[in-house]
Amino acid sequence: MLALHPQVAAARSEVHFFNREENYRRGLGWYRQQMPLSRPGQLTVEKTPGYFSSPRAPNRVRAMAPAMRLLLIVRDPVERLVSDYTQILHNRQARHKPYPPLERLLLRGDRGLDTHHKAIQRSLYALHLAHWLATFPPAHIHVVDGGSLIREPLAELRHVEQFLGLAPWLGPDNFYFNQTKGFYCLQAGARPRCLDESKGRPHPPIAELLLEQLCTYFSAHNERFFSLVGRTFNWC
């Protein structure tokens, strides 16, 4: 949505500059080369979800631009975990490679959840956000409700535009609901724009017991996250 705004120049793909050593060693000159050309008055935007959970990224971003404004999209951590697993499973199956069920990855028999598994660690939002809040003031970080972004994208976009100092651009007539994907798509210009095919895939069946254990485990972590951002979300 932001990429369609005339005041925004958006990078086409995830850059992974601040969280991957091989890229960071290439220097800021390399990073600038990954950015689109922008005109005076335009904001340059790039999206790399891996920055959020990278311990080194906050200080590296601040060293480059202390006034940087940051967008964080969050969703129910259990949904995020299952969605992440679904994408990995699909990619492995597309290459005819096996991948174990989520239960086998996360459960350790009678010992319960393997809370050190990276799929769980990535969903500890309070842990990661604390690193960013130790580096940037809260006013520089805008949290987007990922669930609301799916259900009411225009309302969330308006909050983002306000945070970034952008004039409103897209309107209700630019959105239509794609029944097949289960997401809203954009009608702006000659052709519709929808999220890529990796979004909206049906999730594999997951044991209810595992989902209950995940909800229980994340509960206290979610409460800490709510306290940090000063708002609550309708998560399990």
Side-chain angles (χ1 to χ4, degrees):
M1 290 185 284
L2 284 176
L4 294 173
H5 200 294
Q7 292 176 270
V8 170
R12 290 183 175 273
S13 59
E14 297 176 10
V15 181
H16 291 282
F17 177 66
F18 300 103
N19 65 322
R20 289 185 179 172
E21 298 304 312
E22 64 272 24
N23 289 339
Y24 194 69
R25 284 195 295 266
R26 293 173 172 176
L28 286 175
W30 179 87
Y31 183 63
R32 291 190 185 96
Q33 290 173 2
Q34 313 312 307
M35 296 299 107
L37 295 176
S38 59
R39 300 187 302 273
Q42 277 189 313
L43 291 179
T44 303
V45 176
E46 73 116 324
K47 177 199 72 170
T48 302
Y51 293 159
F52 181 51
S53 58
S54 168
R56 295 184 175 181
N59 284 325
R60 288 175 171 179
V61 174
R62 182 174 175 79
M64 180 190 73
M68 182 71 71
R69 281 168 285 182
L70 306 160
L71 294 169
L72 172 65
I73 304 176
V74 292
R75 63 187 300 192
D76 185 316
V78 177
E79 291 182 5
R80 193 217 67 79
L81 188 154
V82 174
S83 179
D84 193 38
Y85 169 79
T86 301
Q87 182 164 336
I88 296 172
L89 176 66
H90 175 85
N91 292 340
R92 294 292 291 259
Q93 290 176 339
R95 299 197 300 270
H96 305 288
K97 293 184 177 182
Y99 199 62
L102 188 59
E103 293 83 353
R104 195 187 308 168
L105 290 173
L106 299 184
L107 292 175
R108 301 179 298 177
D110 295 338
R111 293 178 294 170
L113 284 174
D114 178 7
T115 58
H116 296 290
H117 194 284
K118 62 182 179 181
I120 291 178
Q121 289 291 311
R122 286 197 192 106
S123 288
L124 300 180
Y125 301 153
L127 173 68
H128 306 309
L129 183 60
H131 294 149
W132 289 92
L133 288 174
T135 314
F136 287 91
H140 284 213
I141 303 174
H142 177 72
V143 178
V144 177
D145 183 341
S148 179
L149 184 63
I150 293 171
R151 298 185 302 271
E152 301 177 274
L154 183 56
E156 285 297 324
L157 177 62
R158 287 289 181 262
H159 294 312
V160 171
E161 289 172 333
Q162 184 176 12
F163 170 71
L164 296 177
L166 300 172
W169 180 251
L170 297 175
D173 293 342
N174 296 115
F175 292 85
Y176 70 94
F177 191 75
N178 185 308
Q179 294 287 349
T180 302
K181 283 184 169 291
F183 289 95
Y184 279 91
C185 294
L186 289 166
Q187 185 67 56
R191 60 184 180 85
R193 296 168 181 257
C194 293
L195 295 172
D196 65 42
E197 62 181 13
S198 69
K199 305 298 183 183
R201 288 196 184 110
H203 293 170
I206 307 295
E208 284 297 323
L209 177 61
L210 174 59
L211 295 177
E212 291 174 6
Q213 288 178 293
L214 288 169
C215 285
T216 300
Y217 175 73
F218 283 123
S219 177
H221 294 281
N222 291 344
E223 290 297 326
R224 285 196 287 273
F225 178 74
F226 299 162
S227 178
L228 287 175
V229 298
R231 57 190 284 204
T232 60
F233 299 85
N234 188 24
W235 297 341
C236 77

